[in-house]
């Protein structure tokens, strides 16, 4: 029997990926704000909308983790892997993620959040 229940795993992974996405999008927003784009508004809107969605999802994830007595600890990182400890109800499960996989999955998730913004429609953009 696994130490960590299967329904908890997606929440642990959200606890890994969502903070990464937030830091990347915040950095991207700063780059956009200081760049020489003529029309920064639409780009900032997309990034801000995605950030708001990610922050709300992280808040829900943290509330779930608190209710289910879950904790994530980053144990270490080398050139190839990052190790995390998933702790739930006194049980600990150590997992190693390839750094390239973390990067690729983070990029996939950012695309998903941008697509969510697109499906909601962009404010102030004329369609022809």
């Amino acid at each position: 029997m696994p130490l960590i229940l299967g329904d908890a795993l997606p929440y642990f992974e959200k606890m890994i990926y969502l903070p990464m996405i937030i830091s990347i999008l915040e950095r991207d927003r700063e780059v956009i704000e200081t760049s020489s784009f003529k029309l920064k508004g639409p780009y900032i809107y997309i990034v801000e909308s995605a950030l708001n969605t990610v922050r709300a999802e992280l808040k829900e994830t943290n509330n779930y983790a608190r209710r289910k007595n879950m904790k994530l600890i980053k144990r270490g990182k080398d050139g190839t892997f990052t190790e995390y400890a998933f702790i739930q109800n006194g049980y600990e499960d150590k997992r190693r993620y390839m750094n390239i996989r973390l990067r690729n999955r983070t990029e996939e998730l950012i695309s998903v959040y941008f697509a969510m913004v697109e499906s909601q429609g962009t404010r102030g953009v004329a369609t022809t």
Side-chain angles (χ1 to χ4, degrees), residues 5-125:
L5 300 176
D7 61 338
L9 187 59
Y11 290 96
F12 278 115
E13 291 195 343
K14 285 182 180 184
M15 292 165 65
I16 293 171
Y17 290 112
L18 295 178
M20 283 188 221
I21 293 169
I22 289 171
S23 73
I24 290 167
L25 291 178
E26 286 175 344
R27 213 172 322 129
D28 288 353
R29 182 188 58 212
E30 289 174 16
V31 169
I32 292 168
E33 288 172 348
T34 60
S35 70
S36 62
F37 285 134
K38 295 257 185 207
L39 300 171
K40 298 176 187 179
Y43 301 103
I44 292 173
Y45 173 76
I46 290 169
V47 172
E48 281 294 328
S49 296
L51 263 170
N52 290 338
T53 303
V54 173
R55 286 180 181 136
E57 199 167 316
L58 181 59
K59 184 177 180 180
E60 289 175 20
T61 300
N62 288 338
N63 288 339
Y64 178 88
R66 201 173 301 112
R67 282 193 316 272
K68 299 293 185 176
N69 199 20
M70 296 167 51
K71 190 173 184 178
L72 174 77
I73 299 173
K74 186 176 180 179
R75 291 284 185 198
K77 182 177 180 178
D78 61 25
T80 307
F81 292 96
T82 301
E83 184 173 298
Y84 293 93
F86 296 173
I87 302 169
Q88 183 179 23
N89 296 324
Y91 293 102
E92 182 174 328
D93 187 10
K94 293 180 185 170
R95 295 187 181 229
R96 291 169 41 109
Y97 288 81
M98 287 187 72
N99 293 333
I100 190 80
R101 172 68 179 135
L102 291 171
R103 188 195 75 206
N104 290 343
R105 182 66 180 143
T106 300
E107 188 174 345
E108 288 172 18
L109 290 171
I110 288 173
S111 295
V112 167
Y113 288 110
F114 282 172
M116 292 168 99
V117 171
E118 182 181 347
S119 70
Q120 296 167 357
T122 53
R123 176 191 61 163
V125 176

